[in-house]
Amino acid sequence: MKLQTKIPLLAEQHQIDYKSRLVLLGSCFTTHIGKKLDYYKFPLFQNPLGILFHPVAIENVIVRACKQEEVTEEALGFQNEHWYCFDAHSDLNSVSKTDLLTRVNRGLEATYQHIASASHIIITLGTAWVYRFTKTGALVANCHKVPQKEFSKELLSSDAIAKSLKNSLHQIKSINPNATVIFTVSPVRHLKDGFVENQRSKAHVISAVHQTINTHNASYFPSYEIMMDELRDYRFYETDMIHPNTLAIDYIWEKFRNVWIAEGAYPAMDQVASVQKDLGHKAFHSQSQQHQKFLKSLAKKITYLKETYPFMQFDE
């Protein structure tokens, strides 16, 4: 008896291993995949300007970084006793204008360096809904609690999104023609926009992604489709009924692993997982002989991994 429909997935070429260098950009689902990759100690660089929800916000960061264009003071604003940048998430906000400017430009410079050396770039798109700052006409990545009357809300067409994605790809390839770019659509439901509006948004994004990968050298991983079809039950959501829960994230990660992680990396991943589990162990008697033996065994495992993969760092 079949109780679930399965999305057919095949292992991709140019898979990820411990020689890979990863860049992750985009919506909050990027953070979930990033945490999994970080847990297994793959070398990665993630969202230097914070979470970015729509394709133009991601494009703006990629273009600035690849062209090595710095953000100037004119691009900053002041609200609620904090300085902000419309191209960055509120996590970067600061009481100091100089500090914010430094952090944003350092993030852009780091983005340039990591894109230039990346083997894989994973871009997760969240929504087609955008806010335009009426004073300048620019689309913003984050409104930073600036009064809503200062913005107009728009739904990007699939053609406009495709144009944005193609420009992002062009900029990436201009400094790193060999990078493998993987697009995915976030399964997070943006219900604040409305139920019908969320579906329209996802449809525009998905249509644009496929229009792009059909004409450019890029790949697609169906995070959204796995959530909507294979996990079509509210038990796979957080209590807000919007965000995938831990079980759903683990399930989608396993699918991603099967498609994009090279089998040759699995033994090292198992060793890393063993270390991570041991690091989370809480001793009943920290001075006992048994625990000291456990610590020596753990140190030996970490030393072996660091000798084999010098970039790995553990919170010992």
Side-chain angles (χ1 to χ4, degrees):
M1 180 183 294
K2 287 182 64 177
L3 299 177
Q4 184 186 43
T5 54
K6 297 272 189 173
I7 296 172
L9 297 172
L10 297 174
E12 291 280 356
Q13 296 180 336
H14 310 297
Q15 290 182 312
I16 295 165
D17 58 25
Y18 280 103
K19 295 179 182 178
S20 302
R21 297 294 179 267
L22 313 178
V23 172
L24 288 81
L25 299 170
S27 80
C28 53
F29 192 71
T30 298
T31 305
H32 295 312
I33 295 298
K35 284 181 178 178
K36 292 293 187 182
L37 290 164
D38 183 59
Y39 178 85
Y40 290 104
K41 297 303 176 183
F42 286 94
L44 62 85
F45 177 75
Q46 180 174 256
N47 274 343
L49 300 193
I51 293 169
L52 304 169
F53 294 101
H54 64 79
V56 176
I58 298 168
E59 176 195 8
N60 288 342
V61 170
I62 291 173
V63 169
R64 277 191 181 274
C66 292
K67 291 186 175 181
Q68 295 183 285
E69 295 177 350
E70 289 193 341
V71 170
T72 62
E73 289 186 9
E74 289 72 25
L76 306 185
F78 190 75
Q79 178 79 12
N80 296 328
E81 301 181 15
H82 281 78
W83 290 92
Y84 63 84
C85 174
F86 276 138
D87 285 334
H89 193 270
S90 56
D91 287 346
L92 275 75
N93 289 3
S94 175
V95 295
S96 166
K97 178 168 62 175
T98 302
D99 175 63
L100 173 60
L101 204 58
T102 299
R103 292 170 68 190
V104 169
N105 285 322
R106 282 180 179 172
L108 290 171
E109 175 59 26
T111 303
Y112 170 82
Q113 298 294 340
H114 282 85
I115 288 178
S117 61
S119 61
H120 297 77
I121 299 172
I122 303 171
I123 298 176
T124 305
L125 307 168
T127 182
W129 287 103
V130 296
Y131 288 87
R132 189 180 299 277
F133 189 44
T134 53
K135 185 177 180 179
T136 63
L139 298 180
V140 303
N142 194 293
C143 293
H144 298 287
K145 297 185 179 180
V146 173
Q148 190 172 355
K149 64 182 180 181
E150 303 289 338
F151 302 93
S152 60
K153 185 177 180 179
E154 304 173 17
L155 180 66
L156 293 175
S157 68
S158 59
D159 286 342
I161 297 170
K163 181 179 178 181
S164 174
L165 299 181
K166 290 172 185 176
N167 190 34
S168 292
L169 283 173
H170 172 73
Q171 296 298 329
I172 289 169
K173 297 296 184 178
S174 71
I175 64 170
N176 186 349
N178 297 319
T180 296
V181 179
I182 306 165
F183 288 109
T184 187
V185 175
S186 171
V188 176
R189 304 157 74 207
H190 291 249
L191 296 186
K192 287 184 179 180
D193 295 319
F195 286 84
V196 174
E197 290 78 5
N198 173 67
Q199 292 299 90
R200 290 177 64 196
S201 166
K202 298 293 188 184
H204 285 206
V205 171
I206 292 168
S207 176
V209 169
H210 287 284
Q211 181 181 335
T212 303
I213 65 174
N214 286 340
T215 56
H216 290 69
N217 186 20
S219 299
Y220 181 70
F221 177 73
S223 300
Y224 176 79
E225 291 80 358
I226 292 170
M227 188 75 197
M228 293 298 107
D229 201 285
E230 295 192 23
L231 304 179
R232 51 167 64 205
D233 191 304
Y234 279 112
R235 66 192 165 123
F236 297 112
Y237 285 89
E238 296 284 6
T239 54
D240 62 6
M241 301 298 162
I242 293 174
H243 293 84
N245 62 16
T246 300
L247 182 59
I249 292 165
D250 289 346
Y251 185 92
I252 296 172
W253 161 253
E254 284 300 316
K255 297 289 186 178
F256 182 87
R257 168 177 165 151
N258 293 339
V259 170
W260 276 108
I261 307 294
E263 284 191 22
Y266 289 3
M269 291 175 70
D270 291 340
Q271 293 170 14
V272 171
S274 175
V275 168
Q276 297 282 41
K277 182 179 179 181
D278 287 352
L279 287 171
H281 174 73
K282 303 296 183 184
F284 287 110
H285 304 290
S286 60
Q287 302 303 317
S288 68
Q289 186 176 356
Q290 183 179 5
H291 184 65
Q292 295 308 308
K293 184 179 179 181
F294 166 82
L295 291 178
K296 287 181 181 180
S297 174
L298 174 57
K300 187 176 180 180
K301 291 179 185 178
I302 292 174
T303 298
Y304 171 78
L305 283 169
K306 285 186 174 181
E307 288 176 350
T308 310
Y309 308 103
F311 55 84
M312 288 189 180
Q313 298 294 324
F314 295 91
D315 296 326
E316 301 177 46

